[in-house]
Amino acid sequence: METVKFDLEKHTLREVNQYLHSDASVLDGKAVTIDNPNGSHNIAVGLKADVNVTIQGHAGYYAAGMNQLANVVIEGSAGTGVAENMMSGRVHVKGFASNAAGATANGGLLIIDGDAGLRCGISMKGANIVVGGSVGSFSAFMAQAGNLVILGDAGEALGDSLYEARIFVRGNIQSLGSDCEVKPMDDTAKQILVDLLAESGHGDVDPDSFTLLGSARKLYNFHVDNAGDY
Amino acid sequence: MGTKDQLALVRDPFACKPAIIAEHDDYVAIASEFRSLAHLPDIKNAKVFEPAPKEMYVWKL
């Protein structure tokens, strides 16, 4: 595999991102490494090719946002909005992620080895997110589709106003949000969990140690008795 | 909040305000994002983490 190296102490972020926006015929199958990211914002956003990108350090806000097809690895931590609005591909954060990780993501797989902050997976629309640590409050708020797997604990109001996303939690939950409830783990859900654990490097974790959460579907239509929950 | 020999930090109850800490043998640094810490000496060997909500962190000389 051909490797292309960038160093953000020598190249501008625009040079790096413009290269990463080259035609798929130029990028497909290539490996790109980015040294000294130093917390820069918007690294590797809007990728549309089957390219492997490694960010060798801590990334700033919106790293790998809007990703399609690409496989992005962040060797350090990620700032707010990592992989936000991802459509497909894979983003792997080896450290922790800040707020709104995977927000509104439509597809693809986001793996966070450490903790994720506030609002992880908020309004997710079909992506899969696996968090090796814990997530902050309001995670999966209004999540519409996809799966959020949390190996650690969850903060307050988990899954508030949830639609049809699944949430799997192994640790403690500080509180459930409105209309989020514990569901029996059916075979379909369990298989999804087993596959996601294997894909994200947690194949040794017992799927039976997770609780499945889903929507109670009581907020789908307006009802005056629920006025306080909207 | 800092005094001559102590530094203390409390984050808001939801960890909504951006905050990041770098702990190194020689210093403790607090900023809203890593970008501001990236050029500190030997930052690669610092322990970098986000403070938890409502938790009080105190460092003494």
Side-chain angles (χ1 to χ4, degrees):
Chain A
M1 192 188 296
E2 191 189 336
T3 302
V4 180
K5 288 185 181 232
F6 286 98
D7 183 339
L8 280 178
E9 288 186 348
K10 292 177 190 150
H11 303 95
T12 64
L13 179 66
R14 182 160 291 191
E15 282 176 285
V16 177
N17 279 347
Q18 278 181 344
Y19 176 77
L20 291 171
H21 294 162
S22 307
D23 264 12
S25 58
V26 176
L27 291 171
D28 273 359
K30 280 216 173 71
V32 176
T33 62
I34 302 170
D35 287 344
N36 296 308
N38 291 343
S40 292
H41 297 179
N42 310 321
I43 303 174
V45 294
L47 303 195
K48 290 189 289 186
D50 182 9
V51 58
N52 292 295
V53 178
T54 306
I55 299 171
Q56 308 272 24
H58 301 298
Y61 292 6
Y62 309 118
M66 301 179 283
N67 187 51
Q68 289 183 57
L69 301 173
N71 176 24
V72 180
V73 176
I74 300 170
E75 293 288 346
S77 66
T80 293
V82 62
E84 56 87 29
N85 210 28
M86 174 164 58
M87 302 302 286
S88 62
R90 177 183 162 115
V91 176
H92 184 177
V93 182
K94 296 205 174 166
F96 64 84
S98 189
N99 297 342
T104 74
N106 280 257
L109 173 62
L110 169 60
I111 303 165
I112 299 162
D113 289 349
D115 295 335
L118 195 70
R119 302 191 182 107
C120 178
I122 182 171
S123 196
M124 55 193 274
K125 297 173 174 69
N128 293 313
I129 304 177
V130 181
V131 181
S134 300
V135 299
S137 296
F138 312 115
S139 288
F141 175 54
M142 292 186 83
Q144 289 142 58
N147 303 283
L148 172 61
V149 180
I150 305 159
L151 275 77
D153 302 330
E156 291 179 47
L158 176 64
D160 194 287
S161 307
L162 192 64
Y163 291 86
E164 293 306 307
R166 292 181 195 85
I167 306 173
F168 302 90
V169 190
R170 188 167 65 149
N172 296 316
I173 302 165
Q174 257 183 51
S175 66
L176 291 180
S178 292
D179 214 31
C180 181
E181 65 176 15
V182 175
K183 301 273 190 191
M185 181 86 74
D186 58 36
D187 291 344
T188 311
K190 191 166 173 179
Q191 193 55 52
I192 288 169
L193 175 61
V194 167
D195 292 345
L196 284 175
L197 287 170
E199 261 186 273
S200 55
H202 299 292
D204 55 338
V205 174
D206 178 10
D208 292 328
S209 59
F210 286 80
T211 302
L212 173 64
L213 305 168
S215 175
R217 299 174 184 155
K218 287 181 182 154
L219 297 179
Y220 272 34
N221 301 298
F222 180 78
H223 191 287
V224 73
D225 290 346
N226 295 331
D229 289 334
Y230 292 113
Chain B
M1 200 165 70
T3 66
K4 223 158 57 173
D5 55 359
Q6 289 191 75
L7 178 66
L9 170 75
V10 186
R11 202 171 179 191
D12 66 278
F14 297 112
C16 196
K17 298 282 183 193
I20 191 162
I21 300 171
E23 270 184 349
H24 188 276
D25 288 346
D26 297 330
Y27 59 82
V28 173
I30 300 166
S32 57
E33 52 175 308
F34 182 75
R35 214 174 170 178
S36 311
L37 306 175
H39 301 291
L40 290 175
D42 196 33
I43 187 74
K44 282 185 178 152
N45 289 316
K47 181 189 168 199
V48 175
F49 62 101
E50 282 203 4
K54 286 192 263 193
E55 199 158 313
M56 182 147 76
Y57 296 81
V58 180
W59 296 271
K60 291 177 188 172
L61 274 183

mmCIF file with all atom_site columns, all heavy atoms in Angstrom, chain A residues 101-117:
data_model
loop_
_atom_site.group_PDB
_atom_site.id
_atom_site.type_symbol
_atom_site.label_atom_id
_atom_site.label_alt_id
_atom_site.label_comp_id
_atom_site.label_asym_id
_atom_site.label_entity_id
_atom_site.label_seq_id
_atom_site.pdbx_PDB_ins_code
_atom_site.Cartn_x
_atom_site.Cartn_y
_atom_site.Cartn_z
_atom_site.occupancy
_atom_site.B_iso_or_equiv
_atom_site.pdbx_formal_charge
_atom_site.auth_seq_id
_atom_site.auth_comp_id
_atom_site.auth_asym_id
_atom_site.auth_atom_id
_atom_site.pdbx_PDB_model_num
ATOM 1   N N   . ALA A 1 101 ? -19.838 13.338 19.878 1.00 0.00 ? 101 ALA A N   1
ATOM 2   C CA  . ALA A 1 101 ? -19.168 12.381 18.981 1.00 0.00 ? 101 ALA A CA  1
ATOM 3   C C   . ALA A 1 101 ? -20.235 11.653 18.166 1.00 0.00 ? 101 ALA A C   1
ATOM 4   O O   . ALA A 1 101 ? -21.241 11.202 18.701 1.00 0.00 ? 101 ALA A O   1
ATOM 5   C CB  . ALA A 1 101 ? -18.361 11.387 19.801 1.00 0.00 ? 101 ALA A CB  1
ATOM 6   N N   . GLY A 1 102 ? -20.013 11.589 16.855 1.00 0.00 ? 102 GLY A N   1
ATOM 7   C CA  . GLY A 1 102 ? -20.940 10.851 15.988 1.00 0.00 ? 102 GLY A CA  1
ATOM 8   C C   . GLY A 1 102 ? -22.312 11.498 15.865 1.00 0.00 ? 102 GLY A C   1
ATOM 9   O O   . GLY A 1 102 ? -23.273 10.832 15.465 1.00 0.00 ? 102 GLY A O   1
ATOM 10  N N   . ALA A 1 103 ? -22.415 12.782 16.166 1.00 0.00 ? 103 ALA A N   1
ATOM 11  C CA  . ALA A 1 103 ? -23.719 13.451 16.101 1.00 0.00 ? 103 ALA A CA  1
ATOM 12  C C   . ALA A 1 103 ? -24.305 13.365 14.699 1.00 0.00 ? 103 ALA A C   1
ATOM 13  O O   . ALA A 1 103 ? -23.591 13.555 13.719 1.00 0.00 ? 103 ALA A O   1
ATOM 14  C CB  . ALA A 1 103 ? -23.561 14.911 16.502 1.00 0.00 ? 103 ALA A CB  1
ATOM 15  N N   . THR A 1 104 ? -25.562 13.045 14.620 1.00 0.00 ? 104 THR A N   1
ATOM 16  C CA  . THR A 1 104 ? -26.363 12.983 13.375 1.00 0.00 ? 104 THR A CA  1
ATOM 17  C C   . THR A 1 104 ? -25.818 11.989 12.341 1.00 0.00 ? 104 THR A C   1
ATOM 18  O O   . THR A 1 104 ? -26.228 12.040 11.184 1.00 0.00 ? 104 THR A O   1
ATOM 19  C CB  . THR A 1 104 ? -26.512 14.368 12.680 1.00 0.00 ? 104 THR A CB  1
ATOM 20  O OG1 . THR A 1 104 ? -25.271 14.719 12.043 1.00 0.00 ? 104 THR A OG1 1
ATOM 21  C CG2 . THR A 1 104 ? -26.895 15.472 13.648 1.00 0.00 ? 104 THR A CG2 1
ATOM 22  N N   . ALA A 1 105 ? -24.926 11.111 12.740 1.00 0.00 ? 105 ALA A N   1
ATOM 23  C CA  . ALA A 1 105 ? -24.290 10.219 11.750 1.00 0.00 ? 105 ALA A CA  1
ATOM 24  C C   . ALA A 1 105 ? -25.305 9.258  11.121 1.00 0.00 ? 105 ALA A C   1
ATOM 25  O O   . ALA A 1 105 ? -26.097 8.624  11.811 1.00 0.00 ? 105 ALA A O   1
ATOM 26  C CB  . ALA A 1 105 ? -23.152 9.447  12.395 1.00 0.00 ? 105 ALA A CB  1
ATOM 27  N N   . ASN A 1 106 ? -25.253 9.186  9.801  1.00 0.00 ? 106 ASN A N   1
ATOM 28  C CA  . ASN A 1 106 ? -26.195 8.354  9.040  1.00 0.00 ? 106 ASN A CA  1
ATOM 29  C C   . ASN A 1 106 ? -25.738 6.909  8.855  1.00 0.00 ? 106 ASN A C   1
ATOM 30  O O   . ASN A 1 106 ? -26.547 6.043  8.580  1.00 0.00 ? 106 ASN A O   1
ATOM 31  C CB  . ASN A 1 106 ? -26.384 8.955  7.640  1.00 0.00 ? 106 ASN A CB  1
ATOM 32  C CG  . ASN A 1 106 ? -27.345 10.113 7.655  1.00 0.00 ? 106 ASN A CG  1
ATOM 33  O OD1 . ASN A 1 106 ? -28.490 9.984  7.263  1.00 0.00 ? 106 ASN A OD1 1
ATOM 34  N ND2 . ASN A 1 106 ? -26.890 11.253 8.144  1.00 0.00 ? 106 ASN A ND2 1
ATOM 35  N N   . GLY A 1 107 ? -24.438 6.688  8.875  1.00 0.00 ? 107 GLY A N   1
ATOM 36  C CA  . GLY A 1 107 ? -23.944 5.337  8.626  1.00 0.00 ? 107 GLY A CA  1
ATOM 37  C C   . GLY A 1 107 ? -22.506 5.228  9.064  1.00 0.00 ? 107 GLY A C   1
ATOM 38  O O   . GLY A 1 107 ? -21.946 6.165  9.642  1.00 0.00 ? 107 GLY A O   1
ATOM 39  N N   . GLY A 1 108 ? -21.895 4.091  8.774  1.00 0.00 ? 108 GLY A N   1
ATOM 40  C CA  . GLY A 1 108 ? -20.497 3.879  9.147  1.00 0.00 ? 108 GLY A CA  1
ATOM 41  C C   . GLY A 1 108 ? -20.358 3.454  10.591 1.00 0.00 ? 108 GLY A C   1
ATOM 42  O O   . GLY A 1 108 ? -21.352 3.271  11.305 1.00 0.00 ? 108 GLY A O   1
ATOM 43  N N   . LEU A 1 109 ? -19.094 3.273  10.997 1.00 0.00 ? 109 LEU A N   1
ATOM 44  C CA  . LEU A 1 109 ? -18.799 2.795  12.354 1.00 0.00 ? 109 LEU A CA  1
ATOM 45  C C   . LEU A 1 109 ? -17.834 3.768  13.026 1.00 0.00 ? 109 LEU A C   1
ATOM 46  O O   . LEU A 1 109 ? -16.771 4.067  12.477 1.00 0.00 ? 109 LEU A O   1
ATOM 47  C CB  . LEU A 1 109 ? -18.168 1.400  12.276 1.00 0.00 ? 109 LEU A CB  1
ATOM 48  C CG  . LEU A 1 109 ? -17.635 0.799  13.583 1.00 0.00 ? 109 LEU A CG  1
ATOM 49  C CD1 . LEU A 1 109 ? -18.753 0.600  14.607 1.00 0.00 ? 109 LEU A CD1 1
ATOM 50  C CD2 . LEU A 1 109 ? -16.947 -0.551 13.311 1.00 0.00 ? 109 LEU A CD2 1
ATOM 51  N N   . LEU A 1 110 ? -18.213 4.259  14.191 1.00 0.00 ? 110 LEU A N   1
ATOM 52  C CA  . LEU A 1 110 ? -17.332 5.108  15.008 1.00 0.00 ? 110 LEU A CA  1
ATOM 53  C C   . LEU A 1 110 ? -16.937 4.310  16.239 1.00 0.00 ? 110 LEU A C   1
ATOM 54  O O   . LEU A 1 110 ? -17.799 3.855  16.992 1.00 0.00 ? 110 LEU A O   1
ATOM 55  C CB  . LEU A 1 110 ? -18.068 6.396  15.424 1.00 0.00 ? 110 LEU A CB  1
ATOM 56  C CG  . LEU A 1 110 ? -17.381 7.260  16.489 1.00 0.00 ? 110 LEU A CG  1
ATOM 57  C CD1 . LEU A 1 110 ? -16.011 7.750  16.033 1.00 0.00 ? 110 LEU A CD1 1
ATOM 58  C CD2 . LEU A 1 110 ? -18.267 8.453  16.870 1.00 0.00 ? 110 LEU A CD2 1
ATOM 59  N N   . ILE A 1 111 ? -15.617 4.123  16.413 1.00 0.00 ? 111 ILE A N   1
ATOM 60  C CA  . ILE A 1 111 ? -15.109 3.391  17.573 1.00 0.00 ? 111 ILE A CA  1
ATOM 61  C C   . ILE A 1 111 ? -14.328 4.375  18.433 1.00 0.00 ? 111 ILE A C   1
ATOM 62  O O   . ILE A 1 111 ? -13.425 5.053  17.936 1.00 0.00 ? 111 ILE A O   1
ATOM 63  C CB  . ILE A 1 111 ? -14.168 2.243  17.145 1.00 0.00 ? 111 ILE A CB  1
ATOM 64  C CG1 . ILE A 1 111 ? -14.884 1.287  16.192 1.00 0.00 ? 111 ILE A CG1 1
ATOM 65  C CG2 . ILE A 1 111 ? -13.638 1.489  18.360 1.00 0.00 ? 111 ILE A CG2 1
ATOM 66  C CD1 . ILE A 1 111 ? -13.933 0.355  15.460 1.00 0.00 ? 111 ILE A CD1 1
ATOM 67  N N   . ILE A 1 112 ? -14.680 4.448  19.707 1.00 0.00 ? 112 ILE A N   1
ATOM 68  C CA  . ILE A 1 112 ? -13.935 5.301  20.642 1.00 0.00 ? 112 ILE A CA  1
ATOM 69  C C   . ILE A 1 112 ? -13.419 4.379  21.744 1.00 0.00 ? 112 ILE A C   1
ATOM 70  O O   . ILE A 1 112 ? -14.208 3.744  22.449 1.00 0.00 ? 112 ILE A O   1
ATOM 71  C CB  . ILE A 1 112 ? -14.860 6.395  21.228 1.00 0.00 ? 112 ILE A CB  1
ATOM 72  C CG1 . ILE A 1 112 ? -15.402 7.293  20.099 1.00 0.00 ? 112 ILE A CG1 1
ATOM 73  C CG2 . ILE A 1 112 ? -14.120 7.229  22.270 1.00 0.00 ? 112 ILE A CG2 1
ATOM 74  C CD1 . ILE A 1 112 ? -16.614 8.106  20.476 1.00 0.00 ? 112 ILE A CD1 1
ATOM 75  N N   . ASP A 1 113 ? -12.106 4.281  21.876 1.00 0.00 ? 113 ASP A N   1
ATOM 76  C CA  . ASP A 1 113 ? -11.569 3.346  22.872 1.00 0.00 ? 113 ASP A CA  1
ATOM 77  C C   . ASP A 1 113 ? -11.738 3.888  24.290 1.00 0.00 ? 113 ASP A C   1
ATOM 78  O O   . ASP A 1 113 ? -11.934 3.130  25.230 1.00 0.00 ? 113 ASP A O   1
ATOM 79  C CB  . ASP A 1 113 ? -10.083 3.074  22.599 1.00 0.00 ? 113 ASP A CB  1
ATOM 80  C CG  . ASP A 1 113 ? -9.895  2.231  21.346 1.00 0.00 ? 113 ASP A CG  1
ATOM 81  O OD1 . ASP A 1 113 ? -10.903 1.698  20.833 1.00 0.00 ? 113 ASP A OD1 1
ATOM 82  O OD2 . ASP A 1 113 ? -8.743  2.109  20.878 1.00 0.00 ? 113 ASP A OD2 1
ATOM 83  N N   . GLY A 1 114 ? -11.629 5.201  24.465 1.00 0.00 ? 114 GLY A N   1
ATOM 84  C CA  . GLY A 1 114 ? -11.766 5.801  25.792 1.00 0.00 ? 114 GLY A CA  1
ATOM 85  C C   . GLY A 1 114 ? -13.191 6.251  26.060 1.00 0.00 ? 114 GLY A C   1
ATOM 86  O O   . GLY A 1 114 ? -14.148 5.668  25.538 1.00 0.00 ? 114 GLY A O   1
ATOM 87  N N   . ASP A 1 115 ? -13.312 7.320  26.851 1.00 0.00 ? 115 ASP A N   1
ATOM 88  C CA  . ASP A 1 115 ? -14.633 7.876  27.168 1.00 0.00 ? 115 ASP A CA  1
ATOM 89  C C   . ASP A 1 115 ? -15.093 8.809  26.056 1.00 0.00 ? 115 ASP A C   1
ATOM 90  O O   . ASP A 1 115 ? -14.284 9.353  25.311 1.00 0.00 ? 115 ASP A O   1
ATOM 91  C CB  . ASP A 1 115 ? -14.566 8.696  28.464 1.00 0.00 ? 115 ASP A CB  1
ATOM 92  C CG  . ASP A 1 115 ? -14.249 7.844  29.679 1.00 0.00 ? 115 ASP A CG  1
ATOM 93  O OD1 . ASP A 1 115 ? -14.545 6.630  29.649 1.00 0.00 ? 115 ASP A OD1 1
ATOM 94  O OD2 . ASP A 1 115 ? -13.711 8.390  30.663 1.00 0.00 ? 115 ASP A OD2 1
ATOM 95  N N   . ALA A 1 116 ? -16.406 9.020  26.006 1.00 0.00 ? 116 ALA A N   1
ATOM 96  C CA  . ALA A 1 116 ? -16.967 10.044 25.123 1.00 0.00 ? 116 ALA A CA  1
ATOM 97  C C   . ALA A 1 116 ? -17.707 11.043 26.013 1.00 0.00 ? 116 ALA A C   1
ATOM 98  O O   . ALA A 1 116 ? -18.234 10.674 27.063 1.00 0.00 ? 116 ALA A O   1
ATOM 99  C CB  . ALA A 1 116 ? -17.915 9.431  24.114 1.00 0.00 ? 116 ALA A CB  1
ATOM 100 N N   . GLY A 1 117 ? -17.752 12.296 25.590 1.00 0.00 ? 117 GLY A N   1
ATOM 101 C CA  . GLY A 1 117 ? -18.359 13.334 26.427 1.00 0.00 ? 117 GLY A CA  1
ATOM 102 C C   . GLY A 1 117 ? -19.868 13.394 26.290 1.00 0.00 ? 117 GLY A C   1
ATOM 103 O O   . GLY A 1 117 ? -20.551 12.416 25.955 1.00 0.00 ? 117 GLY A O   1
#
